[in-house]
Amino acid sequence: MSHSPEPVYNYALPRAFPFYITCDVSHSMHAPREDGRQTPFDILSNCVGELLFQLEAGDPGVSEAAHVSIVAFHDRADVVLPLTRPCDASNIPALPKGGQTNYEQAFLTLRQLIQADCARLAGQYQLKTPVVFFITDGEPFVGNGRQPAEVWLPARARLVDPAFPHHPHITAMGFGQVTEQTLCQVATSFRNNPLAYVADESIQAVKVVAAIAQAVQDSIGSSIRSSDFVIPIPAGMRRLSCGGS
């Protein structure tokens, strides 16, 4: 029987925790509101920059061990911020605005990024399991209709394949029009608990986005301090059972 390759860790090296904040920036995120108020995109854009600032200004151990990348997906996936430590992130580009919601491109891009990033860091750091925070307000949609699961699920499967030495945890955080089923298909499980969260329908989307950003920041700090993956439930959201108990 063949065995999956295992990452080689050198415990004399400093730790590196790779985090990929993957943001849906499709039309539904930034479409103007009738009341003229801020959109989820506006809040997310502000929170991402603030998140990096807070990580850099807080615990020095967290700022040095955290390695954060920002990926925006829409018709395609854009690497807004290559993987970097918060203490080295002097300039954070603005999130782009896109049209559609291409899950396949998001997962293909993440697979390539994580593979390249971990290969680059492996000789300098003791690498921890990467974490993907997948933030979306809608179903996968490409062209004139919904992107079929048989199109995007294989790309997601390659990303989390145990044969890939650096397969990540995927935490799916959804609101708006995204379904619970889709969030469960996106998320992985950790200690038998699905990492899938959905917003309470009574909570405004902008408040949910702010809560997600805070949970991501708290997760990064807590995971590094405990040396194990920690994810708090964002305020106004609930964890999905995804068919479990």
Side-chain angles (χ1 to χ4, degrees):
M1 179 184 295
S2 61
H3 295 280
S4 302
E6 295 291 337
V8 177
Y9 297 126
N10 183 338
Y11 293 98
L13 297 175
R15 300 175 304 160
F17 291 71
F19 296 95
Y20 295 82
I21 303 173
T22 306
C23 307
D24 180 352
V25 295
S26 61
H27 180 264
S28 57
M29 287 286 288
H30 57 79
R33 298 310 196 234
E34 292 182 0
D35 57 12
R37 293 183 179 180
Q38 287 182 305
T39 66
F41 176 88
D42 295 329
I43 301 298
L44 187 60
S45 296
N46 293 334
C47 287
V48 165
E50 180 66 17
L51 183 152
L52 269 293
F53 173 78
Q54 292 295 334
L55 289 173
E56 191 279 330
D59 184 341
V62 171
S63 181
E64 292 176 3
H67 287 65
V68 180
S69 178
I70 300 170
V71 178
F73 71 97
H74 45 105
D75 309 79
R76 60 180 188 274
D78 299 321
V79 181
V80 177
L81 180 71
L83 194 71
T84 186
R85 299 185 303 172
C87 57
D88 295 329
S90 58
N91 181 41
I92 303 171
L95 293 177
K97 292 181 178 180
Q100 300 190 323
T101 315
N102 193 327
Y103 277 30
E104 180 190 28
Q105 282 302 310
F107 292 122
L108 290 174
T109 298
L110 285 166
R111 177 65 161 75
Q112 294 170 353
L113 276 180
I114 292 173
Q115 183 173 34
D117 289 340
C118 289
R120 174 173 54 85
L121 296 176
Q124 309 169 57
Y125 295 95
Q126 175 202 149
L127 282 174
K128 297 294 185 177
T129 301
V131 174
V132 171
F133 298 105
F134 193 92
I135 304 167
T136 184
D137 78 331
E139 292 290 282
F141 192 98
V142 173
N144 296 318
R146 179 167 173 164
Q147 186 177 45
E150 56 267 26
V151 171
W152 64 267
L153 279 177
R156 184 261 185 200
R158 288 191 66 241
L159 175 62
V160 300
D161 187 344
F164 176 35
H166 302 291
H167 58 281
H169 302 300
I170 302 180
T171 299
M173 299 176 174
F175 57 98
Q177 298 302 310
V178 67
T179 65
E180 294 184 8
Q181 178 184 11
T182 295
L183 292 172
C184 287
Q185 289 175 311
V186 169
T188 57
S189 293
F190 182 64
R191 294 177 178 166
N192 297 318
N193 291 312
L195 298 172
Y197 303 86
V198 69
D200 185 325
E201 292 182 1
S202 66
I203 307 297
Q204 291 182 343
V206 291
K207 292 183 178 180
V208 171
V209 171
I212 288 173
Q214 185 63 55
V216 169
Q217 179 181 320
D218 293 344
S219 176
I220 293 173
S222 297
S223 297
I224 291 171
R225 283 188 286 269
S226 70
S227 200
D228 198 4
F229 180 49
V230 178
I231 176 67
I233 299 177
M237 304 189 82
R238 58 184 172 84
R239 184 198 295 269
L240 298 174
S241 65
C242 296
S245 57

